[in-house]
Amino acid sequence: QVQLAESGGGSVQAGGSLTLSCVASRWSDSEICVAYVRQGPGEQRQAVASISTLTDTKFYADSVKGRFTISQDATKTTFSLQMNGLKPGDTAMYYCAAFKISHHPCYEAISNPTYLSFWGQGTQVTVSP
């Protein structure tokens, strides 16, 4: 079982930056894939970035490549999403989510966010023009 808790959302003007943090509490030593998933008003959930605790490999949705950076700390318990060059279209609720690497390869978190089985409560990001 994995418990996730996000923080760091807020309001910012277009072009600004925000950093989200996700703390993961794991009850086993299983390696996991952690992703940030967003859902804007009236939109479907979109995974924007993922990272493997096993290999530190990172994956990004095309919409955020070059602007967002996902990372993990040395303890593999805190996962950050640095968001630069924010646009009004980035406005959404952002969730931290995860699945065990033994179940799926981490790149599939981007293409198939339904594979994500553990979820945080979400944090709101609002970008004004």
Side-chain angles (χ1 to χ4, degrees):
Q1 189 72 309
V2 179
Q3 294 181 325
L4 303 166
E6 309 94 334
S7 62
S11 298
V12 66
Q13 288 189 323
S17 299
L18 281 174
T19 301
L20 306 182
S21 291
C22 171
V23 177
S25 301
R26 283 184 276 169
W27 292 1
S28 72
D29 292 331
S30 298
E31 298 291 346
I32 58 175
C33 175
V34 176
Y36 277 91
V37 180
R38 68 186 183 186
Q39 186 169 22
E43 297 180 357
Q44 291 186 332
R45 287 182 172 178
Q46 178 194 26
V48 296
S50 66
I51 185 168
S52 166
T53 62
L54 178 63
T55 63
D56 199 40
T57 306
K58 297 144 187 169
F59 304 93
Y60 297 96
D62 289 342
S63 57
V64 305
K65 278 181 182 176
R67 299 189 298 125
F68 290 11
T69 302
I70 192 170
S71 62
Q72 61 181 330
D73 71 352
T75 65
K76 299 182 181 181
T77 58
T78 300
F79 303 85
S80 299
L81 184 69
Q82 174 69 41
M83 304 184 292
N84 298 325
L86 284 163
K87 306 174 182 179
D90 294 318
T91 294
M93 184 71 79
Y94 283 72
Y95 299 89
C96 180
F99 57 65
K100 294 183 179 180
I101 292 292
S102 59
H103 292 173
H104 306 284
C106 197
Y107 65 81
E108 289 195 354
I110 302 297
S111 56
N112 293 288
T114 55
Y115 289 167
L116 293 157
S117 50
F118 306 106
W119 290 82
Q121 81 285 357
T123 186
Q124 178 67 36
V125 171
T126 302
V127 185
S128 57

